[in-house]
């Protein structure tokens, strides 16, 4: 594990309900090519905060890396709905752009 990932895990142990930490752990796994592990942590993030819009975006990217384009499209549709509900037009726009890349 990287020093950053170790640090994030220690912080997560102290505050396991912080979605920022689970999201950070997911991104670190993704950077290292551990996409399945990243997906697990992104699911944890969304379990803690279903309005964490960029977790949907990253989850779709991880699915894309695994060649699971249908799953990526499905999670982007879910994420765009969450972004609309949260009033996050920027996140919705970025997800729409990513969705177009899967078409």
């Amino acid at each position: 594990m990287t020093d950053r990932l170790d640090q994030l895990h220690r912080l997560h142990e102290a505050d396991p309900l912080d979605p920022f930490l689970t999201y950070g752990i997911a991104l670190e796994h993704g950077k290292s090519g551990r996409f399945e592990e990243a997906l697990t942590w992104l699911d944890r993030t969304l379990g803690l905060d279903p309005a964490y819009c960029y977790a949907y975006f990253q989850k779709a990217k991880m699915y894309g890396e695994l060649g699971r384009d249908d799953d990526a499209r499905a999670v982007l549709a879910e994420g765009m709905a969450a972004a609309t509900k949260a009033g996050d037009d920027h996140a919705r726009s970025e997800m729409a752009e990513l969705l177009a890349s899967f078409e």
Side-chain angles (χ1 to χ4, degrees):
M1 273 193 239
T2 66
D3 288 338
R4 179 161 168 73
L5 188 54
D6 287 338
Q7 181 182 21
L8 287 167
H9 274 291
R10 282 192 302 277
L11 291 169
H12 177 260
E13 287 175 14
D15 188 1
L17 300 179
D18 185 344
F20 179 75
L21 296 172
T22 56
Y23 181 76
I25 291 169
L27 294 185
E28 289 301 311
H29 283 296
K31 286 181 195 174
S32 299
R34 294 185 304 271
F35 305 120
E36 292 290 348
E37 188 71 14
L39 287 167
T40 297
W41 284 96
L42 289 165
D43 284 340
R44 289 183 185 182
T45 301
L46 292 168
L48 293 169
D49 183 0
Y52 206 114
C53 296
Y54 287 97
Y56 296 99
F57 180 86
Q58 290 297 327
K59 189 173 175 181
K61 286 179 64 174
M62 300 302 160
Y63 278 137
E65 291 289 342
L66 292 167
R68 295 171 58 183
D69 292 358
D70 288 342
D71 291 326
R73 283 189 284 273
V75 83
L76 285 168
E78 188 180 346
M80 289 167 60
T84 298
K85 184 176 179 181
D88 191 338
D89 293 334
H90 186 259
R92 187 186 185 295
S93 173
E94 288 201 7
M95 284 187 265
E97 188 175 311
L98 183 58
L99 180 60
S101 75
F102 288 105
E103 300 301 321

